[in-house]
Amino acid sequence: MRNITLKIVLFSIVVIMFSMHPFVLYSFVQNTTKWNLPRGAIARFGKGGTGEIAYSPDGKRIAVASDIGTWLYDAQTGEAVNLFTGHTDLVYSVAFSPDGLSIASANADSTVRLWDTQTDVLLMTLTNHENAVYSVAFSPDGKTLVSGGLNKTIRLWDTQTGTQIGILKGHTDSVKCVKFSLNGQIVVSGSDDGTIRFWDVQTGTTIQIFTGHSAGVESVVFNPDGKTLASASYDKTLRLWDVQTGATIKTFTGHLSGVNRVVFSPDGKTLASSSWDKTLRLWDVKTGTTLMTLTEHTGFVTNVIFNPDGKTLVSGSYDGTVRLWDTQTGTSTILTSGHISYIHSLQFNQDGTMSAGVSDNNIRLWDMKTDKTLRIPTEHTRHINNVVFCPDGKLIASGSLDGTVRLWDIQTETHLMTLNRELSAVSRVVFSPDSFMIASGYKDGTIILWAVWTGTQIQILKRHTDTVHSLVFSPDGKTLASSSKDNTLCMWDVITGEHIQTFKIENDWYNNIAFSPDGKIIACTNGDGNINFWDVQTGNHIREIIEEFLTIIAFSPNGNTFACGSHFGPVLLWDAQTYTNLLKLTGHTRAVSSIVFSPDGKTLASWSYDGTMLLWDIQSIQVD
């Protein structure tokens, strides 16, 4: 490794490069874009989707589990305080120790980690789970940690030594939630097997089993008096149980979809619940009636928790926001934003100053200078499959299962026109390099070329017999390439609509195609995660790269290298002449859905389903 001086020089070069190339003109207004970056990355945009939320015992901090780590926020201002990273997959659950001096995080990578909240130091990693860990909780005295997960088991850990001190077996499906009783002598767990089990911590034996839910139990919580237990389930209900007898006291109904979280107010008189129906509900514990339905979130609500003072509660959602609610008035404010996950069809505009994706069937635009997002509610009546920028930077197009392609003015956020076929769902849309045409592919294999500014059909291309997966124009705009579920990649003359040639694809499960900058080579990923290369003029097969689960490919501007995203998160850089691997960039925790080079080829941007975009300084990694 070179010394720190070289690092400073390289960073200075990057800053100068930012001022020269619009693609990387990303103002680091928010310090969080540089927190705990993986090696080779110079910025991160987005915070990952939200998982469990936990208040610190004094109510001054909240911890938010996300796809990339655990975020720590000031509970009053929403200002980010820290980001704990190290897990290699999404974080499901977080918990503060009773003294607030440590945080435990449970992860899909099968580990539990403990962090010191004062020094930010990783204290220990607990590794005996064989699969994803869904829930973690401290005992009331903080000396023991309990965790449960996909392997159906519950494990007890000594928080001082990190040793496993017990294993609880009995559930027949994944353990989704675990909690200690108020005296710390009992662990209660909920499972996808639909049962709630009570365990004796000392002996590891099952004390009693509660049955009644008709689907998986997602959340359990003791009333502050310790006499009753509340549970939330995918069967759309909440249940209140008598801890001593196991009898159901009340069943709370009203949510239209599965309930994923339930929590008592500090005084035990109110329940709060979150649901996949995008709502929160406050319930009167005594009567079982709904006190309030909170509807400000526009995406699935993933979590809810009361402030220790009981006056406010916090919720997280797939809409990317963490909201603070007044429990008396039901009004809310956005505490923090940027926690968007499950984004698909990610694209960049030509100069890289803006990116777009689809979330909750809305188009979301990211200003890369400020890391701010803008949501454009669409008029599509079904799922949006694809969104793409026009090269001139003025328009954005979306294709939907409702059979339409819609064009939007970026500046005014207004809908301009609808390209309506309605005979088959739209699977892919792409603009020509000159911004004159747009190509749309359909589930029935048809491809249509449209005039952008008039909305009229120019050509109808028919040869594919199944869904069109990918479309791309050649750099000169004269040729269109299309890949399909029928296991073929076709080349078309854009002017005449003539079919030029067909390449065979071995596996249709997923494919993405790309032209080299000179238009002489075309590459295509396949369902096996491999990439094939063909000579465009001769049709000859050039090379196959056999690498498991590669999802997407992009060539550098000079054509000397190409980058590939993978299903498991790494980004790979290859030499385009020798087809040898040059770099492996690790940092994403989920599949890479989009990659693009800066105009000078020195920087690479990668978007992932973990809800983040990473900027990679390729040159600095090579120098190292």
Side-chain angles (χ1 to χ4, degrees), residues 289-607:
T289 58
T290 300
L291 299 174
M292 200 177 296
T293 301
L294 309 176
T295 60
E296 293 297 315
H297 282 299
T298 59
F300 298 142
V301 184
T302 59
N303 200 266
V304 62
I305 187 168
F306 273 98
N307 186 307
D309 66 10
K311 297 178 181 179
T312 58
L313 55 83
V314 171
S315 61
S317 167
Y318 278 9
D319 65 14
T321 66
V322 175
R323 285 183 174 268
L324 183 69
W325 303 83
D326 185 305
T327 57
Q328 298 301 311
T329 65
T331 57
S332 75
T333 57
I334 295 177
L335 189 63
T336 186
S337 60
H339 281 286
I340 298 174
S341 191
Y342 300 102
I343 307 165
H344 66 92
S345 186
L346 289 158
Q347 297 284 335
F348 293 90
N349 64 349
Q350 195 169 45
D351 64 10
T353 58
M354 185 175 291
S355 61
V358 178
S359 176
D360 298 323
N361 219 39
N362 293 303
I363 298 172
R364 294 184 181 271
L365 301 178
W366 283 265
D367 185 324
M368 305 312 297
K369 296 179 183 179
T370 63
D371 195 23
K372 299 298 183 182
T373 64
L374 172 70
R375 183 174 64 91
I376 301 179
T378 71
E379 299 176 14
H380 286 297
T381 58
R382 297 185 65 191
H383 179 76
I384 300 173
N385 275 330
N386 190 208
V387 60
V388 63
F389 283 101
C390 186
D392 65 10
K394 298 178 181 179
L395 306 178
I396 195 168
S398 56
S400 167
L401 290 178
D402 65 14
T404 66
V405 176
R406 295 177 183 267
L407 272 64
W408 312 83
D409 185 291
I410 295 175
Q411 296 300 318
T412 63
E413 306 164 30
T414 56
H415 174 238
L416 297 178
M417 69 175 71
T418 299
L419 309 179
N420 198 346
R421 181 169 180 255
E422 291 188 342
L423 298 178
S424 179
V426 179
S427 55
R428 189 64 51 182
V429 292
V430 63
F431 283 97
S432 61
D434 61 7
S435 304
F436 175 72
M437 283 186 290
I438 188 169
S440 56
Y442 296 83
K443 291 283 188 179
D444 65 3
T446 301
I447 300 168
I448 297 180
L449 298 180
W450 309 81
V452 170
W453 299 107
T454 64
T456 56
Q457 291 185 12
I458 300 173
Q459 299 282 1
I460 299 179
L461 314 178
K462 291 187 176 182
R463 190 173 185 89
H464 289 301
T465 59
D466 211 328
T467 302
V468 177
H469 277 318
S470 185
L471 289 170
V472 61
F473 281 93
S474 60
D476 62 10
K478 296 179 180 180
T479 306
L480 179 71
S482 60
S483 62
S484 168
K485 193 176 179 181
D486 64 13
N487 292 341
T488 64
L489 188 159
C490 291
M491 306 286 285
W492 309 85
D493 185 299
V494 171
I495 303 301
T496 65
E498 177 186 359
H499 169 257
I500 301 172
Q501 56 186 329
T502 297
F503 303 118
K504 180 68 175 177
I505 303 172
E506 293 299 327
N507 189 321
D508 71 279
W509 177 71
Y510 181 93
N511 51 64
N512 168 262
I513 50 181
F515 276 101
S516 61
D518 60 11
K520 294 180 179 180
I521 295 174
I522 191 165
C524 181
T525 61
N526 65 24
D528 295 322
N530 304 327
I531 303 176
N532 284 279
F533 299 81
W534 292 273
D535 185 297
V536 172
Q537 293 299 317
T538 65
N540 293 332
H541 183 263
I542 300 173
R543 180 69 65 99
E544 181 180 21
I545 292 179
I546 300 175
E547 188 81 21
E548 190 175 8
F549 296 119
L550 297 179
T551 57
I552 194 163
I553 179 172
F555 284 90
S556 63
N558 62 14
N560 292 335
T561 58
F562 59 87
C564 302
S566 73
H567 180 75
F568 295 114
V571 176
L572 304 174
L573 193 69
W574 304 77
D575 186 299
Q577 305 303 314
T578 63
Y579 295 93
T580 55
N581 182 234
L582 301 174
L583 293 172
K584 184 177 182 179
L585 309 174
T586 57
H588 288 299
T589 60
R590 305 190 72 183
V592 177
S593 55
S594 182
I595 50 177
V596 63
F597 283 90
S598 61
D600 62 8
K602 297 178 181 178
T603 309
L604 182 71
S606 57
W607 258 117

